[in-house]
Every structure is written in C-alpha cells, then in structure tokens.
Amino acid sequence: MACIFCEIIAKRRPARVFFEDDATIVFADINPKTPVHLLVCPKEHHERIYKIPENLMVRMLKTIGIIAEKLKLENNFRLQLNNGALAGQIVDHLHLHFLSRGTAENLVFEERK
C-alpha cells in the first residue's frame, strides 16, 4: 500500500497545507486533538526517527520554529512523536505533531484537491 503522506506530498491526495518548502511539509491533522494540530513531515519517506538523516531532522526543527512564529505560538505549543505502532504511530512516515491549545488567527490553509 502506498504511503498516504507521500501521496499528499506528491499532490495525489487532498490536504490542508499550512507550510511547505523543499524539504518539509506541514498540514492539518484530519483528527485534531487540540485547536491547533498540525503534522510536520519530511518530504523524503522515512519511517522511524532513528533512521532519518541528521540534516533532515534539523530542517524539521527549523520548520517548527517558522510555523510557531507565523502562528504567534512561540510559547504555547508542544511536539509529539510516535515512533512505531506500539507507540501510536498510525502512518509509517515520520512526522511530528505540532499541538497547541491556543488560537491562531494566522492559521490559513492552502486547500489541495
């Protein structure tokens, strides 16, 4: 079965994209747990945290800083990483959950179809 996140990255599946650059993509979780619940993914397919190249993890962390600033949530967010099915990872494509109970007036999505 194809990876659903790879399908989103390739624009073959719909997603509500908040941010994208050459290495990362940030889109809305379809089952949000907080008012702001975004998924931060590398565009390259990697399943587990310990297998991702160091420079790509640094890019993901920089992306988190960018979205925190854009949303004015620098002091009001948490990150969650589920590594493997037993830890709660549902999609086998590494991703970080960016969660905040705050409000984000600047949370505007590009609707992809």
Side-chain angles (χ1 to χ4, degrees), residues 50-69:
Y50 57 87
K51 294 191 176 190
I52 190 169
E54 184 177 324
N55 64 324
L56 190 50
M57 192 67 216
V58 169
R59 288 292 299 273
M60 289 178 68
L61 293 174
K62 286 183 184 270
T63 296
I64 288 162
I66 291 168
I67 62 175
E69 288 177 354

Side-chain angles (χ1 to χ4, degrees), residues 2-101:
C3 169
I4 191 167
F5 289 177
C6 287
E7 294 285 312
I8 289 169
I9 292 161
K11 299 181 180 179
R12 290 190 294 260
R13 290 233 185 193
R16 294 171 53 219
V17 176
F18 176 68
F19 176 84
E20 184 172 12
D21 64 18
D22 63 316
T24 62
I25 187 168
V26 180
F27 53 90
D29 192 296
I30 61 169
N31 188 20
K33 306 294 187 233
T34 57
V36 178
H37 188 165
L38 303 171
L39 303 179
V40 181
C41 303
K43 286 188 171 179
E44 290 179 11
H45 183 89
H46 297 278
E47 293 183 4
R48 304 289 179 263
I49 187 70
Y50 57 87
K51 294 191 176 190
I52 190 169
E54 184 177 324
N55 64 324
L56 190 50
M57 192 67 216
V58 169
R59 288 292 299 273
M60 289 178 68
L61 293 174
K62 286 183 184 270
T63 296
I64 288 162
I66 291 168
I67 62 175
E69 288 177 354
K70 281 181 169 251
L71 296 174
K72 299 185 182 349
L73 294 171
E74 298 96 320
N75 298 309
N76 185 10
F77 74 90
R78 66 184 168 96
L79 300 175
Q80 180 176 326
L81 174 93
N82 301 325
N83 194 66
L86 294 175
Q89 185 177 7
I90 296 169
V91 177
D92 276 334
H93 186 119
L94 179 70
H95 57 285
L96 292 166
H97 295 260
F98 180 99
L99 302 127
S100 177
R101 295 193 188 287

